[in-house]
Amino acid sequence: MLKITLDDADLQRNLRQLADRDARQAAAWALNDTAADVLTHVQNRMDEVFDRPTRFTKNAFMVWRAKPNSLEAFVMERPTVGRRHYLKMQELGGARGQTGLEALLSSRLAYDGIIQSAIPAEGAKLNAYGNWQTGERNQALSAVQAQRDDRTNTTATARKRHRKRAGFFVPKAGSGLSPGIWKRAPDGTISKVLHFSAVAPVYSERLGFQDGAADVYRARLPEHLARTFARMVQRVAERG
């Protein structure tokens, strides 16, 4: 909770000219504009500390708007991403939980080891955000029989029918290849597309959301209050 103390003679004079409902409306405007500034700050910080953040990541926060009868505005995680772990880890640091892909591999893949995390390898096709390309990911999961829906896994018949296509495999225990998913090209060359690890990634604090938000809040709220109260005083004068 942050407390802002205002010492602005013009603002105090404007307050005395307004009815309570008008003053509360002006205050709500100022709080919402300040919250919008904080949200912009957080999204700009994501561009600085993350490598090509996705739209989902940048839109993970929202403004809960103040109203005249509830003079509190919040910048908060959207309810739809409240259970997602990576933003909390980037803010506070610590070991992250499994992603959906990692949980799927842990439960569906026939593999002797432990899969706590899975990270795209050098041979993986990446999208514009640096994540494993969906098409190749689905092909790989189907090939290693790890799709959630068994009907989407590659059958032996389909494998024979498409021999000229690249195939994917997980090395057997004792293989000289490191744990993960490997790709075999039609010419026989192999490359690794996904690393398996038994260890959860540990993040240090990166986003700095709370400190940066406090700085923006302190800097912007007085300006917004002065502007919105002056706007309301003019509106009341025009009404009268």
Side-chain angles (χ1 to χ4, degrees):
M1 180 68 69
L2 298 174
K3 181 179 180 180
I4 303 297
T5 301
L6 298 175
D7 184 15
D8 187 317
D10 290 335
L11 178 59
Q12 297 300 324
R13 184 166 54 254
N14 288 339
L15 280 171
R16 289 192 292 270
Q17 299 178 49
L18 298 177
D20 180 67
R21 67 179 183 279
D22 293 325
R24 294 181 71 84
Q25 179 62 72
W29 289 337
L31 287 169
N32 292 333
D33 288 345
T34 303
D37 289 340
V38 171
L39 179 60
T40 298
H41 163 78
V42 172
Q43 292 173 331
N44 289 340
R45 281 286 295 157
M46 290 179 183
D47 285 328
E48 295 174 8
V49 302
F50 297 151
D51 178 20
R52 292 168 290 175
T54 64
R55 185 177 301 173
F56 176 82
T57 297
K58 293 194 70 174
N59 290 337
F61 291 95
M62 59 172 284
V63 171
W64 187 272
R65 296 176 62 81
K67 299 177 182 178
N69 61 349
S70 179
L71 293 179
E72 292 180 318
F74 300 91
V75 178
M76 55 188 287
E77 282 186 345
R78 293 182 185 276
T80 52
V81 298
R83 292 181 295 175
R84 297 298 289 262
H85 49 73
Y86 63 90
L87 285 172
K88 294 181 177 66
M89 290 302 100
Q90 298 292 1
E91 170 62 20
L92 303 174
R96 70 159 173 81
Q98 286 188 315
T99 64
L101 172 63
E102 291 162 350
L104 179 65
L105 289 168
S106 296
S107 63
R108 301 287 294 178
L109 184 65
Y111 176 68
D112 293 334
I114 297 173
I115 303 175
Q116 179 61 38
S117 60
I119 304 168
E122 185 175 347
K125 293 181 180 179
L126 305 180
N127 62 21
Y129 301 107
N131 299 322
W132 196 12
Q133 191 181 79
T134 301
E136 185 176 74
R137 181 193 65 198
N138 288 337
Q139 290 175 15
L141 292 178
S142 295
V144 300
Q145 308 294 295
Q147 291 282 22
R148 184 170 284 106
D149 185 349
D150 290 335
R151 292 171 298 179
T152 62
N153 287 326
T154 304
T155 64
T157 301
R159 194 174 293 113
K160 290 179 181 179
R161 189 168 59 247
H162 302 294
R163 288 179 180 176
K164 294 185 178 181
R165 292 183 181 177
F168 299 86
F169 66 96
V170 174
K172 295 181 179 179
S175 168
L177 299 176
S178 58
I181 297 179
W182 289 74
K183 178 180 179 179
R184 180 180 285 108
D187 64 2
T189 59
I190 62 173
S191 58
K192 193 174 187 182
V193 297
L194 193 69
H195 293 295
F196 292 165
S197 175
V199 180
V202 177
Y203 295 137
S204 57
E205 181 180 340
R206 294 177 65 193
L207 185 53
F209 165 71
Q210 294 180 2
D211 291 343
D215 292 340
V216 174
Y217 175 55
R218 293 189 185 98
R220 299 295 292 156
L221 181 59
E223 300 174 17
H224 286 310
L225 281 169
R227 177 180 52 78
T228 58
F229 274 102
R231 173 185 168 191
M232 182 58 78
V233 167
Q234 182 178 1
R235 175 181 289 191
V236 170
E238 292 173 351
R239 269 195 330 235

